[in-house]
Amino acid sequence: MTPAQATCLADALVIGYAILEQGGPALIAVECTIGLLEQSGLFNAGRGANRQLDGVQRMDASIMEGAQLGAGAVASIEGILHPITAARLVMEDTPHVLLVGPQATKFAQHCQLAPLPKARSPRRNTGRDLPSASAAQTMRLYRAMLQSQRTGKDQHGTVGAVALDGFGTVAAGASTGGVDSMLPGRVGDSPLIGCGLYADNQCGAVSMTGMGEGIIRLVVAKTICDCLAAGKSPAVAARQVLRMLVSRIQGSAGALVLSPDGRFAIKHVTPYMAAGWWKGRGKPTVRGQFP
Ligand code: ASP
């Protein structure tokens, strides 16, 4: 983790906590925390989002609160600075849970959400820029993807947050630019409720990072919540499900897990996971690894 990322994470924790301290809802604390990370350009979300193999940034985000099980998400949204806010507006202003692609983008524009600022220099590009999709170009996209899969190069920089407010409500959020070397149109776990995140006041809140393909197949966030509901601690629940992810399908992920009584755990089976917490005293804790 770079010093700039560490400072940004600490600032995001302070902003989220201040909202809770002033009596604000966990949902808004989660949204504002993630919003700062999206805006920073330092993580794989918002300004810093990865590009798909055609050179386009398509982002996924979701948010959920545990009192009413309200949830909203966007997938493959383009040109919007704060996909997490678009997700909250899907939850609050529509009868739906998930909007995708150009229609998600149109919805966010209709809500007058800020656009992604134009990049001054080309951002991290995980593939080749291929503006149109002729058959030959499509073949090149597939070849580029297979080659990069062989190198095993992937980066885990999704941003996420979980919070518990003074009303006893938990919330979780996630926002991402996806993984390295994605085919255009690829959607990961982050906008899928139960996979990339879950929140229920009766068991807790979970936000995931890592290779979405594995997280989706084991419905990881909801599976961790089910373990919490069965009486396991956040640390035990996270460890157990992450181990299963590795042993069953060689998955790779990290989890933020919070129980309704305020116990929490940060666990990962990736070599590295930049994360932190703050309970309002001293300085926020921010680290790159959690045992
Ligand atoms: N989970 C995200 C995805 O698969 C990537 C990440 O966490 O970095 O899209």
Side-chain angles (χ1 to χ4, degrees):
M1 177 174 26
T2 65
Q5 286 175 320
T7 303
C8 186
L9 280 178
D11 289 348
L13 287 163
V14 170
I15 283 176
Y17 190 85
I19 290 167
L20 298 171
E21 206 174 29
Q22 287 159 21
L27 188 82
I28 300 303
V30 162
E31 179 189 348
C32 291
T33 301
I34 290 178
L36 189 82
L37 303 175
E38 288 175 331
Q39 184 142 3
S40 71
L42 298 171
F43 301 92
N44 173 19
R47 277 185 54 216
N50 277 350
R51 289 170 188 274
Q52 299 197 320
L53 282 171
D54 58 358
V56 177
Q57 288 171 303
R58 296 186 184 87
M59 299 166 285
D60 301 334
S62 64
I63 197 161
M64 181 166 188
E65 61 78 36
Q68 306 295 326
L69 304 184
V74 288
S76 273
I77 194 168
E78 290 178 34
I80 298 296
L81 179 58
H82 291 304
I84 193 69
T85 299
R88 178 180 58 77
L89 292 171
V90 170
M91 171 184 150
E92 290 182 344
D93 292 357
T94 81
H96 311 305
V97 169
L98 174 60
L99 292 181
V100 303
Q103 306 306 328
T105 306
K106 271 190 197 158
F107 170 75
Q109 287 165 343
H110 170 80
C111 296
Q112 300 188 329
L113 295 192
L116 266 181
K118 291 259 177 290
R120 279 197 208 97
S121 55
R123 269 192 288 272
R124 184 161 39 113
N125 187 345
T126 58
R128 297 179 208 172
D129 284 343
L130 297 174
S132 63
S134 70
Q137 285 167 335
T138 305
M139 288 310 291
R140 281 166 59 201
L141 289 182
Y142 280 93
R143 206 171 305 125
M145 185 187 74
L146 292 173
Q147 272 162 5
S148 64
Q149 273 186 347
R150 268 183 226 120
T151 65
K153 185 170 154 285
D154 60 69
Q155 295 174 4
H156 296 166
T158 284
V159 302
V162 292
L164 168 65
D165 64 27
F167 309 101
T169 288
V170 293
S175 179
T176 187
V179 292
D180 267 6
S181 303
M182 301 162 277
L183 285 173
R186 180 266 186 190
V187 171
D189 59 298
S190 304
L192 303 182
I193 305 303
C195 298
L197 94 175
Y198 203 72
D200 180 350
N201 285 0
Q202 294 183 6
C203 43
V206 175
S207 179
M208 299 300 302
T209 182
M211 281 304 293
E213 281 70 8
I215 297 170
I216 291 168
R217 286 154 68 201
L218 280 177
V219 199
V220 170
K222 180 64 163 69
T223 306
I224 293 176
C225 277
D226 289 346
C227 291
L228 295 174
K232 299 203 165 104
S233 70
V236 170
R239 200 177 303 123
Q240 192 169 307
V241 178
L242 289 175
R243 276 189 188 152
M244 179 170 72
L245 180 73
V246 173
S247 65
R248 292 244 12 225
I249 56 171
Q250 293 80 52
S252 166
L256 307 173
V257 184
L258 175 66
S259 67
D261 61 7
R263 288 173 299 152
F264 71 93
I266 302 173
K267 295 277 171 204
H268 53 104
V269 288
T270 50
Y272 164 90
M273 176 171 167
W277 73 86
W278 200 41
K279 290 186 169 184
R281 284 181 299 281
K283 285 188 177 165
T285 301
V286 173
R287 293 209 303 259
Q289 283 180 320
F290 295 83

